[in-house]
Amino acid sequence: MSTYVPPDSTPAPSLTSPPEATPSGASTPASSRVSAPEASSFGATPPGAATSPRTSSPRPPPSRGTTESGPVVTAHRQAPRTTPLLPQVRAPRATLGAALGLGVLAEVLLDRPLWGVSFPIVVAALMGTLVVLGGREGWQRARPNAWLAAPLLIISGFVAVRASEWLLALNLLTSAALLLLLTHLWAAGRVQRLGLMGYPLVALASTFRGLLYPPALIRDTVDLRSAREHAPRLLPFVRGVLIALPVLLVFCVLLQSADAAFAVAMNRLWSVDVWTLFGSTLGRLMGAGFSAFVAAAALGHALRRRRGAERGEAEATPARPRLGLTEALTLILAVDALFLVFAGFQVAYLFIGGASSPAEGYTYAEYARRGFFELLLVSMMTLGLVMALARWTRRESPLAQGVFRVGATLMVALTVVILASAVKRMTLYEDAFGYTRLRLFTHVFMYALGAVLTWRAVTLWWRPERFAIGAFVTALGAVLAVNAINPDALIVRLNIERATDASGPDVYYLSGLSSDAVPELVRDTAQGPAWRTDLLRQYAERLPAASSWPEWNLSHARARWALQSVDTTVRPE
């Protein structure tokens, strides 16, 4: 309510008097009331109006930093701190806390001589943390690519199942590649929309972009400005310590010379090995910090705020055709003719003839080695040639498209025959000289290459943009297959079966295999030759002793049980 003031009288000033009325009838806040000189400085007094300090005048327009209701309070409403090179992070405090927790967990479980169930536990913890931090919104974005978590968990789980060093390296590399893909696709895109080069590019981008998130998390959670403000207060203390050190050193030398007991105590103090005392703790702290850095990079990149379009959000853009149809068909038909003639020789000898003996003038080793690597290289080059022609050839009519597809499909089919010839040659070599890890892995690779070639022929006629995802799934299938067949156990079984003379298989090579091979060696040991008992004793001597549960491995456990069931003399200590 406003107070009426007669024109010939002036009310006494009072601290409790109500505010003056505004022209609209509303009370004016104290922060917006100004004196006459101030009002005149704003130019608010209309011409001809009285300039008495007690008469009301229109309020000046709000100045910068004020609103109609008064000045804006900005002391506690600060914009988020930004750094040009560092990205913005969702929920920085929660993400940093989760990363530190994962770092400690990884250090406790993985800082051991052997990785067993600890590795899949850490991977599962990382995936669970990602789901929890992302919440419902994050899961909605990640759901189209969530199936990648299944092969990731399975392949990481094989680290606790197999003991072969080759499989360990393969499983770790595959798990890392899948994790890099997941961190990118958790926030955007779909894996089936990536082109063939999109997979390595996404993995590289996730690696380098992820390095920016740990410092961004520290920026958003730690008040570095406060630390810089208090840093000058520590300088006097630091200077005092630097001054005190030489003084204490001089006094210690003099006091040691003055008293023998004090000298003995000081000598014991100087003889303490600081690294032995604190080195282990420092190493664990560094390990936990590194693991937390990796976890922060993965979590931050997966929960990032997207900036524009990213890989996987749209289908890969097809290239602009530059090669004429006539040129492409000439190349295709020439290669088809050559492959057809060569495939005729391979079928006539390797498959119809049964390959009972090598070609005239060649031994088994020469025949297999001379042709195998060349044929494998031809198959890989043909796959690349078909992909390049399908990408760069102009096909401006349905007839041109059909002719190109028929010629390219024939090339792929003949290449499969050549690849089958390479497989047959490798089989000849293995029958003659035995099985090794490299030969078994090569077998799996050739079968996977054959599957990719077949899928290339399919995508020539149906959904060409889906070739990349088919090749990716084939690669995952090959990794799972080589783990499932257990190469070391298969090598032992096949080499023992093919050994016909009394000397047995290549014992020296078999002795270098992992614990995966022990259960196969234990079979029929009671009637087995002496070489098998000696071989089992060698495995028992190098078998890791029973350790803590994070290092538990199924292959080592089975080997230990098998050795104990045969003879206690070969039981590892």
Side-chain angles (χ1 to χ4, degrees):
M1 178 181 298
S2 61
T3 303
Y4 174 75
V5 181
D8 56 348
S9 63
T10 302
S14 174
L15 296 177
T16 60
S17 61
E20 297 177 354
T22 62
S24 61
S27 60
T28 304
S31 60
S32 64
R33 293 198 300 271
V34 295
S35 62
E38 292 172 341
S40 63
S41 66
F42 284 106
T45 304
T51 58
S52 172
R54 298 305 181 189
T55 58
S56 62
S57 60
R59 289 180 303 165
S63 61
R64 187 176 183 181
T66 63
T67 63
E68 292 294 332
S69 60
V72 177
V73 179
T74 59
H76 301 287
R77 297 180 183 178
Q78 299 177 354
R81 288 168 288 178
T82 59
T83 306
L85 296 179
L86 300 181
Q88 294 295 320
V89 184
R90 297 176 184 267
R93 293 183 182 275
T95 304
L96 182 60
L100 292 175
L102 289 172
V104 173
L105 178 66
E107 174 61 23
V108 171
L109 295 182
L110 300 182
D111 187 19
R112 300 171 184 275
L114 297 176
W115 284 3
V117 296
S118 56
F119 183 73
I121 289 176
V122 171
V123 173
L126 178 60
M127 295 303 302
T129 304
L130 188 57
V131 172
V132 172
L133 288 179
R136 185 175 181 180
E137 179 185 356
W139 175 250
Q140 291 296 328
R141 294 195 306 267
R143 187 169 56 181
N145 306 300
W147 65 270
L148 290 173
L152 172 61
L153 294 176
I154 294 174
I155 293 174
S156 63
F158 271 115
V159 174
V161 175
R162 301 296 181 218
S164 171
E165 299 85 359
W166 287 42
L167 291 180
L168 176 62
L170 179 64
N171 293 331
L172 292 178
L173 290 175
T174 306
S175 298
L178 285 172
L179 186 59
L180 290 173
L181 285 176
L182 264 176
T183 55
H184 174 83
L185 297 169
W186 197 268
R190 296 193 177 186
V191 63
Q192 61 268 24
R193 293 176 181 170
L194 293 174
L196 193 62
M197 290 301 299
Y199 292 90
L201 290 178
V202 163
L204 290 175
S206 298
T207 301
F208 290 107
R209 291 177 63 182
L211 298 177
L212 301 177
Y213 285 93
L217 288 173
I218 296 175
R219 176 203 64 192
D220 294 342
T221 54
V222 180
D223 190 1
L224 298 179
R225 289 182 298 181
S226 177
R228 287 194 295 266
E229 292 174 359
H230 291 82
R233 302 179 183 178
L234 297 177
L235 292 179
F237 174 75
V238 174
R239 289 195 296 266
V241 171
L242 294 177
I243 295 172
L245 285 177
V247 176
L248 292 176
L249 180 62
V250 172
F251 285 164
C252 283
V253 172
L254 294 176
L255 293 175
Q256 280 185 265
S257 302
D259 187 84
F262 181 76
V264 172
M266 293 303 298
N267 289 332
R268 291 178 179 177
L269 179 62
W270 301 129
S271 64
V272 173
D273 191 347
V274 179
W275 178 252
T276 303
L277 190 61
F278 300 104
S280 177
T281 302
L282 181 60
R284 284 189 171 274
L285 289 176
M286 294 177 62
F290 175 78
S291 301
F293 184 91
V294 174
L299 295 175
H301 186 58
L303 303 175
R304 68 190 179 278
R305 300 178 185 272
R306 290 179 292 175
R307 298 178 179 177
E310 297 189 10
R311 291 186 181 273
E313 294 186 353
E315 298 288 350
T317 305
R320 181 181 178 182
R322 299 180 181 272
L323 183 64
L325 179 64
T326 303
E327 295 88 340
L329 287 179
T330 302
L331 175 59
I332 290 174
L333 294 178
V335 174
D336 286 349
L338 176 63
F339 283 4
L340 184 62
V341 174
F342 184 82
F345 281 95
Q346 304 307 300
V347 171
Y349 174 71
L350 290 175
F351 299 102
I352 297 178
S356 56
S357 61
E360 184 177 356
Y362 289 96
T363 64
Y364 275 107
E366 292 173 347
Y367 183 76
R369 287 180 177 176
R370 183 181 179 85
F372 167 75
F373 292 106
E374 289 84 349
L375 296 182
L376 188 61
L377 182 59
V378 167
S379 301
M380 297 171 61
M381 292 176 61
T382 305
L383 176 61
L385 177 62
V386 172
M387 292 172 56
L389 290 174
R391 181 177 177 86
W392 299 103
T393 302
R394 290 194 298 268
R395 292 155 295 193
E396 300 173 351
S397 66
L399 178 61
Q401 181 78 300
V403 172
F404 176 84
R405 287 173 174 175
V406 171
T409 302
L410 179 60
M411 182 187 296
V412 172
L414 293 173
T415 305
V416 172
V417 175
I418 293 176
L419 185 62
S421 173
V423 174
K424 187 69 174 179
R425 290 166 185 263
M426 177 56 70
T427 304
L428 286 173
Y429 189 78
E430 289 171 334
D431 289 340
F433 299 99
Y435 298 84
T436 63
R437 286 175 174 171
L438 179 60
R439 295 164 195 168
L440 281 182
F441 274 77
T442 304
H443 263 296
V444 175
F445 173 76
M446 287 189 293
Y447 286 126
L449 181 58
V452 172
L453 285 167
T454 304
W455 179 245
R456 175 70 271 186
V458 172
T459 53
L460 286 172
W461 299 85
W462 176 81
R463 303 293 297 273
E465 70 277 6
R466 292 293 178 261
F467 169 73
I469 184 63
F472 174 70
V473 172
T474 302
L476 290 181
V479 175
L480 293 173
V482 77
N483 277 279
I485 65 176
N486 194 357
D488 286 6
L490 184 61
I491 288 171
V492 170
R493 182 168 66 252
L494 295 177
N495 283 337
I496 291 178
E497 289 176 356
R498 62 171 294 278
T500 56
D501 54 357
S503 61
D506 186 353
V507 178
Y508 177 77
Y509 181 80
L510 296 184
S511 64
L513 299 178
S514 67
S515 300
D516 296 334
V518 174
E520 287 293 333
L521 289 171
V522 169
R523 293 183 180 182
D524 301 328
T525 306
Q527 294 81 21
W531 62 262
R532 191 181 308 214
T533 303
D534 295 337
L535 192 59
L536 289 175
R537 184 172 290 106
Q538 295 182 38
Y539 277 103
E541 291 175 353
R542 72 168 189 266
L543 183 68
S547 54
S548 57
W549 67 266
E551 299 178 77
W552 187 87
N553 180 278
L554 179 61
S555 180
H556 292 317
R558 291 185 61 200
R560 190 173 294 106
W561 297 334
L563 292 171
Q564 292 175 358
S565 65
V566 174
D567 191 350
T568 56
T569 58
V570 297
R571 181 178 179 178
E573 296 297 334

